[in-house]
Amino acid sequence: MMSKEAEELHDKGLEALERDHDYLARACFERAATLEKTPENLSCLALCLAKTRRDYADAIGMAREALAADQANPLLHLNLGKVYWLAGEKEKALQTLRNGMQYDSGNRISRELAHYGRRKSPLFPSLKRSHPLNKYLGLLLSRLGLR
């Protein structure tokens, strides 16, 4: 159970994140994390660090540590997925979000997955998606507007 001040800072930070006030959110979560080092505070602080400082290595480490402490919290999966996405690790981001779907009752993770979009099926299904024929021919056809 968080103290009243830490809970108020946490709520204010969440509201700031929703409104894309990343620096205000970071200040709130930094203060909340010093008062109470909960997995949610650490995870949200990690997301803010990734957004404001672009310190992806520390942010990923902090978000993974928070997720390890509370696997059943969908917010922690969502934040780690966003941090991975910001760091350019799209496969890890999508995998983390998919893993978090089993705990998500508010559909926030499914909305995030829909926001990232679905990939088209590979041109040659018998080959891996990363095979040069699938990769470069798909890019070429997309740029020509044929796919």
Side-chain angles (χ1 to χ4, degrees):
M1 187 73 185
M2 282 196 277
S3 69
K4 185 168 176 59
E5 183 181 0
E7 191 172 338
E8 287 174 0
L9 285 167
H10 180 78
D11 292 342
K12 186 176 180 180
L14 285 177
E15 185 177 331
L17 267 179
E18 288 178 14
R19 296 174 187 246
D20 290 328
H21 300 298
D22 300 326
Y23 290 96
L24 173 62
R26 188 181 84 202
C28 290
F29 288 120
E30 284 175 341
R31 179 75 178 124
T34 58
L35 294 173
E36 303 253 350
K37 216 172 193 175
T38 64
E40 279 196 16
N41 285 339
L42 290 176
S43 177
C44 292
L45 178 58
L47 178 60
C48 292
L49 288 175
K51 284 183 162 188
T52 59
R53 290 188 184 159
R54 307 216 188 300
D55 188 3
Y56 302 120
D58 286 344
I60 288 171
M62 190 182 299
R64 290 182 76 194
E65 177 185 328
L67 183 61
D70 185 7
Q71 285 283 325
N73 190 335
L75 178 63
L76 306 184
H77 288 273
L78 180 66
N79 288 344
L80 179 58
K82 286 181 178 182
V83 170
Y84 275 139
W85 190 267
L86 290 170
E89 298 184 30
K90 295 177 182 177
E91 288 299 320
K92 287 183 180 179
L94 294 173
Q95 187 60 43
T96 302
L97 292 173
R98 288 183 192 121
N99 290 343
M101 285 289 291
Q102 61 186 327
Y103 307 110
D104 186 28
S105 60
N107 295 325
R108 290 181 2 190
I109 293 177
S110 60
R111 282 194 305 270
E112 194 70 23
L113 280 169
H115 172 71
Y116 293 142
R118 295 199 179 266
R119 296 170 78 176
K120 295 177 183 169
S121 60
L123 290 172
F124 303 103
S126 60
L127 299 174
K128 289 185 177 182
R129 184 177 290 281
S130 61
H131 191 278
L133 278 176
N134 274 329
K135 188 174 180 180
Y136 296 113
L137 194 56
L139 283 172
L140 177 67
L141 292 176
S142 292
R143 290 203 177 134
L144 293 175
L146 301 174
R147 182 168 160 87

